[in-house]
Amino acid sequence: MKVLRTICTILFGAAVLLFFGLAYPHHLHYQEQFQLFLFDCAYVWDIVKLPGGVADLLGRFCTQFFLYAWIGALIIAVLLMAVQLLTLRLINSKTGQGAKVSGGLLYGLSFVPSFLLWLFLLDENALLGGVWAVLLTLLAAWLFDALPRNWLWRVLIFVAIPVLYWMVGPVCLLFFLLQAVSVEKWITRTVPVNQGTVHVTRVSVILLLLMPVILAYYLPVPSSNLCFGIHYHRYPTAIPIVLWLAVLAVFILVLIARALQNHGDRQNHGDRLPDSGQNQKPVPVIPSSYLLPLASFVVVAAVMGSIVWKNSNFKAEKVMKYDFMARYQQWNRILETINTDRPNNQIGVTVQNLALGMRGLLTQHLFDYNQNGLLGLLPDIGTDATSPMPTAEAFYQLGMITVAQRTVFEAQEAILDFQKSGRCYKRLAQTNLILGHYEVARKYLTALKKTLFYRDWANETLPLLGDEKAIAKHPEYGRLRQMAYKENFFFGDHVTSDMLQRLFLSNTDNHLAYEYLKAYYMLTGDRENYTKLQLQYPEQ
């Protein structure tokens, strides 16, 4: 039976790994780019000083590895496998003599909380701290199950109220409910229950429910966040319903396990043979075999797996893929992608046109692909944190450095949970270096030195600050500095032909600006200016 359980758990983990590694990798990249994990005491303290801070810190620490999708997929797979194993342990600890039951039907159901957490993580704004909160709560419940119900247990229960709440947030309610299930008299009537223990669990649940109300007077956090979690979801006002369904699923499974134990204990201890001092043989509630747990696992995996697949947002995954390729300037890969799966959304079209321009193919093949008017060339800057990033990449490659800097900065400030971004910090360091704002660039590079995956780049870039000759020789920064605007002028929210013309005339070697200017005339039907430009600069 143990071998079968191990195989099923490994199969589940492999499914999670393959899903996030193959079908959902750019959702992981999306998560990574909207945080900046620093190995810094002040940064850590700012996180852990709020309720749920420990789970949030662990979630952010793991999310930084999402820069590499397969490592992120492996982390998620391990976490969800751990949740399933702890759920099964708690079920087994509640069934006692009826452990065979949990090895049957309840074994398959032990995967339900993990599948719900998988479903929770399909949301690109769901944070890994929520999964860590559930895992730490289950781990605490499992450790407390091994303690005898004596005075020490009662003391630790009251100590656990503030400690667990501060570590994982309101999800810790599950821990106290599980402790209540293990001692409540109405669950198991065959074993005497210490009334003091029952009162302790009831009081602890009540105190925990009152804690958010009390803390609302002392913390600058809305009471709704204290009740439903601060760091479970990127939207501050959102209630992560699926996460709470996973918590509820664990509680319901444990209740079922205890009910089956109660029923089995009555059959085993209450029925005796007439005129005999011997007890009857125990009658199992549900027959257990290798087939039953396997069948329950297959049914749960099929049902929950189909739900996960149907709720996967592959359209968003496609958009995130284009943004990811633009971020790492994978122009050839973009061209290969648009030839097989042409984009029909604003971000995809923006990246498509940028890749065509970088390869000198924009005006030649402009109408061979889907276009969104001028919005597909250089869209208006949105107020969210996602859509401006490809546009900022186009501004950067064109040499519109100040505009790119403003766009990236505003995108970072639009991150919903007020975090900073490693991607944005890197680009802001680059733009300030190109513009000659070296002290500002140093601020961003100093912060990036405290990260795991941006540290090497920051150390390589710091010596460039103030070194004009080195910057001029740099293949990227020197070229973009020469291509930048040479005079100041008012820049509106909408890119116009005059802005592109000024950019091109400031450096006629800027072939990308030439391509974009011609494409602008083509999309607006301005034949006169298109012809004039082509006649004046035919070699471009």
Side-chain angles (χ1 to χ4, degrees), residues 82-104:
V83 169
Q84 185 270 327
L85 292 173
L86 285 172
T87 302
L88 184 62
R89 287 291 185 96
L90 290 171
I91 291 174
N92 285 340
S93 69
K94 305 305 178 192
T95 53
Q97 295 295 328
K100 292 182 179 180
V101 176
S102 66

Side-chain angles (χ1 to χ4, degrees), residues 350-368:
T350 302
V351 173
Q352 159 199 287
N353 290 333
L354 177 58
L356 289 170
M358 293 298 295
R359 291 294 177 257
L361 303 172
L362 180 58
T363 54
Q364 183 180 355
H365 297 283
L366 181 66
F367 295 114
D368 293 343

Side-chain angles (χ1 to χ4, degrees), residues 106-126:
L106 289 186
Y107 174 71
L109 293 176
S110 69
F111 286 87
V112 171
S114 294
F115 270 107
L116 288 172
L117 291 175
W118 185 353
L119 187 64
F120 168 68
L121 291 176
L122 295 181
D123 182 359
E124 59 269 18
N125 291 309

